[in-house]
Amino acid sequence: MSIAFSALALTFLAATAPAHAQSAVADGQKLAFDRGKGNCLTCHQIKGGDLPGTIGPALVDIKAKYPDRNELVAILTDETKRNPQTMMPPFGRNRILTSEEINAIVDFLETL
């Protein structure tokens, strides 16, 4: 019975993982486009976003530019550690975004 339960649990996890990933991407896009939270559109052009800014680079080919996910997380958390002259707000350091929200935005950015 334990083997059957384990197989059922693995099947469930495999079936729900893509749905969870899609949910994280959708949550990340919502946060990125939210003018009161991520606010990425204020400075960046993003496919599907309205009224983008031009202060920062266009967010395209992100996975190719940043193959290491942790680098994107660090940029959103506190880019001033890497570049003290940046105009990028330290979303994590200033607690504008939680680590879960930052990871959701990174999930979304990796689809661009």
Side-chain angles (χ1 to χ4, degrees):
M1 184 132 139
S2 176
I3 294 172
F5 178 75
S6 296
L8 181 62
L10 287 174
T11 301
F12 174 77
L13 289 174
T16 59
H20 176 72
Q22 288 176 338
S23 174
V25 169
D27 290 346
Q29 180 178 17
K30 184 178 175 183
L31 286 164
F33 289 0
D34 184 336
R35 299 285 181 178
K37 258 316 215 181
N39 206 16
C40 302
L41 285 168
T42 295
C43 298
H44 300 279
Q45 291 180 353
I46 305 172
K47 181 181 176 184
D50 294 328
L51 303 171
T54 57
I55 295 169
L59 299 180
V60 294
D61 298 325
I62 297 300
K63 200 146 185 156
K65 292 176 185 173
Y66 300 98
D68 181 0
R69 174 186 180 83
N70 294 324
E71 188 174 357
L72 280 174
V73 170
I75 289 169
L76 287 170
T77 301
D78 186 1
E79 174 63 356
T80 64
K81 287 183 178 179
R82 191 173 78 155
N83 176 6
Q85 302 301 316
T86 188
M87 295 181 72
M88 179 84 170
F91 291 101
R93 186 187 79 203
N94 287 349
R95 296 187 177 121
I96 298 166
L97 297 169
T98 67
S99 61
E100 292 82 15
E101 291 170 327
I102 289 171
N103 276 290
I105 292 172
V106 169
D107 288 339
F108 165 62
L109 292 176
E110 287 184 327
T111 68
L112 301 176

